[in-house]
Amino acid sequence: QGQLVESGGGSVQSGGSLRLSCRVSGINYNRYVLGWFRQAPGKEREGVAAIDSDGNTSYLDSVKGRFTISQDNAKSTLYLQMNSLKPEDTSMYYCAAVRSNFYYKGGTYWEQLVLPPDDFAIWGQGTQVTVSS
């Protein structure tokens, strides 16, 4: 049984930085794509960044150049380094492990950051990020 636990959220000023961490356990990394999603009040959950087992990455256009996703397999931890934060980045951030068989077979690719159905994903509990002007 897989389990993901996020940490590192907080409140920062515009232009500041935060690093989110997601401790991952109980999964085979070769069978999952790891990613970060966010959901602001009244808005749909959206994909922010993802990384596959080979270290290839994909980012939401609005965070490119500001956010960096990485993983440390030795520590079983996924990270999201967020720099130059903007108020519009304010959201609840969730890490997720998405089963690889959700992708490719139906023409859906992980690089597209599509929100996965719950049956294909293991979700963390979320960590709040608030960016003030």
Side-chain angles (χ1 to χ4, degrees):
Q1 300 293 333
Q3 183 175 331
L4 284 71
V5 180
E6 304 98 330
S7 62
S11 182
V12 299
Q13 295 288 322
S14 181
S17 298
L18 285 172
R19 188 179 73 164
L20 306 183
S21 298
C22 175
R23 183 175 179 272
V24 182
S25 63
I27 69 166
N28 182 339
Y29 281 82
N30 291 328
R31 295 180 179 269
Y32 290 85
V33 172
L34 303 180
W36 291 93
F37 295 77
R38 66 186 182 186
Q39 187 169 22
K43 294 186 178 295
E44 297 292 323
R45 190 171 297 188
E46 64 180 351
V48 176
I51 186 167
D52 71 5
S53 59
D54 293 322
N56 300 302
T57 59
S58 182
Y59 297 92
L60 180 68
D61 284 345
S62 62
V63 309
K64 288 180 179 177
R66 300 189 297 119
F67 291 11
T68 303
I69 187 171
S70 62
Q71 60 186 358
D72 186 337
N73 290 338
K75 297 180 179 180
S76 299
T77 303
L78 177 72
Y79 300 99
L80 184 67
Q81 178 66 47
M82 304 185 295
N83 298 325
S84 301
L85 283 162
K86 305 175 180 180
E88 50 263 45
D89 295 317
T90 295
S91 190
M92 183 73 75
Y93 283 72
Y94 301 88
C95 61
V98 184
R99 287 165 52 189
S100 296
N101 61 5
F102 170 66
Y103 304 107
Y104 312 120
K105 294 182 179 180
T108 301
Y109 296 89
W110 67 271
E111 297 94 335
Q112 297 172 333
L113 300 171
V114 174
L115 182 68
D118 287 343
D119 287 349
F120 286 86
I122 303 169
W123 293 94
Q125 83 287 354
T127 186
Q128 179 67 40
V129 171
T130 302
V131 185
S132 60
S133 299

